Amino acid sequence: MTVEYVDAGEAIDQGMLSGKTGTAPAVVSGVTYERILEASARPENWITYYGAYNGQRYSPLDQINTENVKRIGPAWMFQAGTSGMIAGASTYAFEAAPIVVDGVMYLSGWDGWLWALDARTGQEFWRYKHAVPYDVSLCCGNVNRGVAVAKGKVFMVTGNAHLLALDATNGKKVWDRTYGDVRAGESATVAPLVVKNMVIVGSSGGEFGVRGHLDAFDVDSGEHVWRCYTVPKPGEPGSETWPSDGEAWARGGANCWVTGTFDPDTNLLYVGTGNPAPDFDGAVREGDNLFTDSIIAVDVDAGQIRWHYQCTPHDVWDYDSIGECILFESAGRKLLGHFDKNGYFFVVDRTNGQLVQITPFVDRIDWGAITRDGQVTPRRYPDKEGDPVHFWPGPAGAKEWTHAAYSPKTELFYVPVQDVGATATRRRREFKESIPYWGAGVQVDAEDMTGSISAFDASGEERWRWRNEVPMCASVLATGGDLVFAGEPTGEFNALDARTGELLWQFQCGSGHHSNPTTYMVEGRQYIAVPVGWGGWTEGFLPGMLGAGHGSALIVFALPE
Amino acid sequence: MTTAQERSDLLNKIGLDAQNKAALGAVLGTGRIGQATERADGRMTATIRIQPDEIAWDPSILVMPHGGDLELELLNDDLNTHCALLPSNGDRKFIWLVNHSRGRATLNLDGPGYYWFSSPTGNDEGRGLTGAIVVLGDVPPEARLDRPDQPRP
């Protein structure tokens, strides 16, 4: 006898079985380019990746200050967790900067997750989950650095190199564009940046021998506006810095995997580019290898490079220059500050790329030396097959992608410093698309390391240093309350006096920090939002803590009500 | 040492593809392989079943010829209750599958690559109810790099 099946019905969205409400207030409908330009004037919001186009990671909010910071505590938490089998399951971590618009927070996680939360209570409004292939190429973990918002939409990239535009009120997809080739080893981790009516993104994949690029899409329609390759083809400007024969340029790297900054006066987008490929085998790509390891200034309308400053010509240490390009003014000059993986703090004139000053910001640098006028002399590098070479800083750099901050109030830069070395042994390999293309075996030191939050003025003078036993691997936040917030790999979240470096307050968050804290205000109360969770490229920046537990919590602090 | 040609025989001989023989459950990736059917409009259809006492998806690897929408029929012929959590753009899809039940799921996957799905209850996932959906194909031409064709493995 045949027994009829029980009708199980149609599968539903898993999020329907959560506590989410489903709809967020339509706060993003009023976010325009003009409003993003004035972000600093409305500090109750953290409206773009760095808080404002200038990349300062500074908020004028001062309700929490040096006098009362010792009284702040958790106001609410959001625990994301993870389930099932996901790409890079051992590497997932928060790396995002929470965006807040008029009381609504937009937070991206790993593996295609995006949440809209009530910024006052932590209540989940809606969620989006992109299906990311388990086998996607990820150099450095299943991570995402955040979202952009404008004109009613939230923009996010995915691990398989899509750019999504979602309705900011309900998380439903408005448009979806593929801008990278996963079969070539490309992926995407960057937080998009909205400029004018464009949303701008960069590609990841520098460890797989791809050709880096920036892309701009129309905010409304998703139409592709321009693509800017960061390695020139033969005959294009800069191509003379690559071998004239062969296809080294086609695998040259220079990926822009960290968000740029923008100056509406110069109409230039300032972006740091990534390492050349193969990372450590320079003999197969003789020359300076433009525009790898460079600060590039891109005409935001044309998508063309107007000037560049290369921090590490012919890099064989994996010294991406993807670090933030902080825009500031000094003595009437429009300047740009950049802390590079190679251990040097560069200040350039952002109108033309002319070097203003350069100074080391970490104690141990022996890969080479850069003089005050910018002359680079390599000293220790893996140039003989099978010969191990130790150098400082290691490939994660004296500062990884995590960001420094600049306070226009104190006129100081605050940089998270990683003082850790590594050994690379050159091992030449044939290029094959989608296979890692390093050209060396690499091991980062698990001992003899240290770190700090260091304060520098624009002339490169170190004004104070807060020392830590292990490298500092999370972005710094500076506020008008004369505070500098910085998380430790061992879980402590610290508030330092911005003028002295004195530790004023500390909270153990239960897992290490490797993301971007932000601050905002709702109904007159200032909050500090801290995505917590150890992960990402731990074996690169702090292998001595590779065994530390993961976490996946957003902790939001405030003064007692 | 074995060879690739002997794989299926050896899986069965050792008991890697069944419950409580070699290991405690069925080792992932040892089940059958199926291919989705493509309709004229490009949408794809497939059926995945849980056989009695196998605690495994059949097929355990489902292949889609390209990215897009997949209409899936899910049959639980087992004598126990399971469920399914399936990858899809927007949100993962969940369905409860009591004994001898039939359900449906509509998935959107943009591929290429592969995605795991499972029955997230108890340790169904470890016993064998973890399967893969493989999406074939390439990214759109406009997303590819402007460079000569490169060698692949």
Side-chain angles (χ1 to χ4, degrees), chain A residues 400-417:
Chain A
E400 208 211 1
W401 67 266
T402 52
H403 303 302
Y406 172 77
S407 167
K409 192 174 172 189
T410 62
E411 298 186 325
L412 294 178
F413 293 85
Y414 306 98
V415 56
V417 177

Side-chain angles (χ1 to χ4, degrees), chain A residues 72-402:
Chain A
I72 68 171
W76 57 267
M77 295 175 64
F78 175 74
Q79 302 249 21
T82 184
S83 62
M85 293 171 67
I86 65 170
S90 301
T91 64
Y92 78 93
F94 269 127
E95 291 193 354
I99 298 293
V100 177
V101 183
D102 296 341
V104 180
M105 176 182 290
Y106 301 93
L107 174 70
S108 67
W110 45 89
D111 207 50
W113 284 106
L114 168 57
W115 300 275
L117 307 171
D118 185 321
R120 190 177 62 82
T121 65
Q123 167 69 45
E124 182 178 332
F125 288 133
W126 56 256
R127 64 172 64 175
Y128 177 88
K129 172 71 175 73
H130 200 76
V132 176
Y134 186 76
D135 50 346
V136 69
S137 298
L138 300 172
C139 143
C140 307
N142 192 341
V143 297
N144 181 282
R145 296 191 189 84
V147 305
V149 294
K151 300 176 78 171
K153 302 180 191 69
V154 184
F155 303 96
M156 179 180 75
V157 302
T158 68
N160 58 343
H162 285 237
L163 172 62
L164 307 175
L166 307 178
D167 185 320
T169 64
N170 57 27
K172 301 300 181 190
K173 190 185 298 180
V174 179
W175 52 259
D176 175 354
R177 298 290 178 270
T178 312
Y179 77 100
D181 184 356
V182 288
R183 289 209 181 273
E186 288 193 289
S187 58
T189 56
V190 71
L193 184 70
V194 170
V195 178
K196 301 184 180 178
N197 209 49
M198 295 176 287
V199 54
I200 297 168
V201 290
S203 60
S204 297
E207 273 58 56
F208 296 88
V210 300
R211 187 178 175 215
H213 52 89
L214 292 162
D215 290 84
F217 296 86
D218 184 87
V219 163
D220 300 311
S221 66
E223 182 183 353
H224 193 236
V225 181
W226 51 254
R227 170 169 284 195
C228 173
Y229 280 103
T230 48
V231 176
K233 291 175 77 170
E236 294 179 347
S239 60
E240 69 281 2
T241 65
W242 292 88
S244 57
D245 58 338
E247 295 181 352
W249 64 272
R251 310 155 184 171
N255 293 84
C256 303
W257 48 277
V258 171
T259 309
T261 53
F262 174 68
D263 181 351
D265 293 337
T266 62
N267 203 40
L268 294 173
L269 182 73
Y270 303 97
V271 187
T273 65
N275 59 276
D279 303 51
F280 303 95
D281 185 359
V284 301
R285 47 172 176 78
E286 292 294 345
D288 281 353
N289 306 141
L290 290 175
F291 297 95
T292 66
D293 291 358
S294 299
I295 300 163
I296 57 172
V298 178
D299 182 314
V300 78
D301 295 322
Q304 294 180 346
I305 298 172
R306 296 301 186 215
W307 61 254
H308 72 277
Y309 185 93
Q310 190 173 38
C311 300
T312 312
H314 192 69
D315 172 20
V316 284
W317 304 269
D318 192 16
Y319 289 156
D320 305 65
S321 291
I322 40 67
E324 63 289 335
C325 298
I326 298 175
L327 311 185
F328 70 107
E329 283 70 43
S330 181
R333 298 184 73 181
K334 295 171 78 68
L335 302 176
L336 180 158
H338 168 83
F339 293 88
D340 200 88
K341 278 172 102 178
N342 69 17
Y344 287 87
F345 171 36
F346 296 81
V347 175
V348 301
D349 184 323
R350 71 174 183 264
T351 65
N352 56 22
Q354 183 181 11
L355 181 66
V356 174
Q357 74 87 8
I358 177 172
T359 191
F361 66 91
V362 65
D363 289 341
R364 293 183 289 190
I365 299 176
D366 71 355
W367 64 269
I370 308 181
T371 59
R372 291 280 174 185
D373 62 353
Q375 299 301 308
V376 179
T377 305
R379 289 185 176 146
R380 298 178 61 80
Y381 49 93
D383 63 336
K384 293 178 184 167
E385 188 75 4
D387 188 8
V389 177
H390 185 274
F391 54 87
W392 275 291
K399 182 178 80 61
E400 208 211 1
W401 67 266
T402 52

